[in-house]
Amino acid sequence: MATYNKRGYKAPKEKEVKEVTEDIKVIEKNSATAGVFSTLDATASKTEDFVARNQKIIIGFVTVVALFTIGYLAYEKFVAAPKEDEAASEMFVAQQNFQKATGGVASDSLYKLSLNGSEGKFGFVKIADEYSGTDAGNIANYYAGIAYLNTGKYTEAIEYLGKFKSDDIVLSALAKGAIGDAYSENNQPKEALDNYLKAVSANKNDFTTPRFLLKAGKTALALGNKTDALKYFTDIKDNFDASPEAASIDVLIGLAQ
């Protein structure tokens, strides 16, 4: 069946159709954009209403945060920093006595002076208490623990070394190992072994690791646990053969087998 155009009708040209299509797309895009802006306006209006209703609470919260920040900065500048300097100054004489004591000259009396103070300056015990929360107060716990360990005060050594916290992995391992020594000297081998193993796991290095593996092995052997003792001794032989602890390790391995 034939199809005829109505009189006067002209088919739109391809260019005109394309232009109309593009105009429709622009209109749709503008419509979508308008919808987005309308949504944003509605959201902004709700936010403004929320702020208006809760203005006092928001201002109060911001004020508290600001005061806290200012207070913290002021504390750090005018309280914490001067306290650190004061603690370091107090500890200087105690450190000198401690260092002399480690040299073996009148060690007991010098360790006691480092603990209790001399020349008008605090000892480690007082510094750890008076300047708790400072770096100096923290390190004073370590010094005090070692001084007590070397003067046969094992319970006190465990107490002070237990308070010491450090990000220094070697010093942290030494502190845990010293706690193990204090328990060992106090005839508490199980607790000693536990702390020697903590010292081993604190950090793997050529200085502290073989040292406390050897102590862990000997303690395990004394407890009758040959299997674990052999494991610790073998670790030294396999991984730390250049260390002083490896010098007689074959004999110990033989005892543990």
Side-chain angles (χ1 to χ4, degrees):
M1 180 178 177
T3 302
Y4 299 94
N5 292 330
K6 291 183 178 180
R7 186 187 297 267
Y9 173 77
K10 293 182 180 181
K13 295 179 180 180
E14 183 178 346
K15 181 179 179 182
E16 291 174 343
V17 172
K18 184 177 181 181
E19 289 175 350
V20 170
T21 302
E22 290 176 351
D23 288 343
I24 291 171
K25 288 180 179 179
V26 170
I27 291 170
E28 288 175 345
K29 182 179 179 181
N30 289 340
S31 177
T33 303
V36 170
F37 279 112
S38 176
T39 302
L40 291 174
D41 287 342
T43 302
S45 178
K46 290 179 181 178
T47 302
E48 289 171 359
D49 289 342
F50 175 82
V51 171
R53 289 195 308 270
N54 300 280
Q55 189 173 20
K56 289 183 178 180
I57 296 174
I58 294 171
I59 291 173
F61 176 75
V62 172
T63 301
V64 168
V65 172
L67 288 174
F68 175 81
T69 302
I70 293 169
Y72 175 77
L73 293 174
Y75 174 82
E76 286 293 309
K77 182 176 181 179
F78 298 111
V79 179
K83 196 172 184 180
E84 284 284 2
D85 293 339
E86 185 181 323
S89 176
E90 283 287 345
M91 193 160 59
F92 179 72
V93 173
Q95 285 177 312
Q96 283 190 319
N97 287 325
F98 184 91
Q99 288 166 2
K100 289 176 184 177
T102 57
V105 180
S107 58
D108 279 359
S109 60
L110 285 169
Y111 276 130
K112 288 175 182 176
L113 286 176
S114 73
L115 285 165
N116 302 317
S118 64
E119 299 178 33
K121 295 293 185 180
F122 291 160
F124 294 130
V125 172
K126 191 75 171 179
I127 292 167
D129 180 46
E130 292 288 326
Y131 299 98
S132 176
T134 67
D135 291 339
N138 182 47
I139 196 67
N141 283 313
Y142 177 81
Y143 279 121
I146 299 298
Y148 275 127
L149 177 62
N150 281 282
T151 52
K153 303 288 186 180
Y154 305 123
T155 302
E156 291 85 349
I158 293 166
E159 177 189 350
Y160 279 90
L161 287 166
K163 293 177 183 177
F164 173 69
K165 308 297 178 187
S166 178
D167 293 329
D168 186 302
I169 49 182
V170 173
L171 199 56
S172 179
L174 287 173
K176 290 178 174 63
I179 293 174
D181 289 341
Y183 274 119
S184 180
E185 293 291 343
N186 211 33
N187 198 29
Q188 295 176 268
K190 291 182 180 179
E191 291 80 359
L193 178 58
D194 182 53
N195 280 279
Y196 289 144
L197 294 177
K198 286 179 181 178
V200 168
S201 62
N203 174 249
K204 298 288 185 181
N205 63 76
D206 293 335
F207 172 54
T208 64
T209 305
R211 177 179 179 177
F212 295 119
L213 275 172
L214 183 62
K215 291 190 177 189
K218 288 180 177 179
T219 305
L221 198 59
L223 287 167
N225 192 340
K226 289 188 174 183
T227 301
D228 284 346
L230 180 60
K231 180 174 65 175
Y232 306 141
F233 294 146
T234 303
D235 195 347
I236 295 173
K237 183 177 177 64
D238 292 345
N239 301 303
F240 304 96
D241 60 316
S243 68
E245 289 77 14
S248 59
I249 203 66
D250 287 334
V251 175
L252 291 169
I253 287 175
L255 291 173
Q257 286 176 333

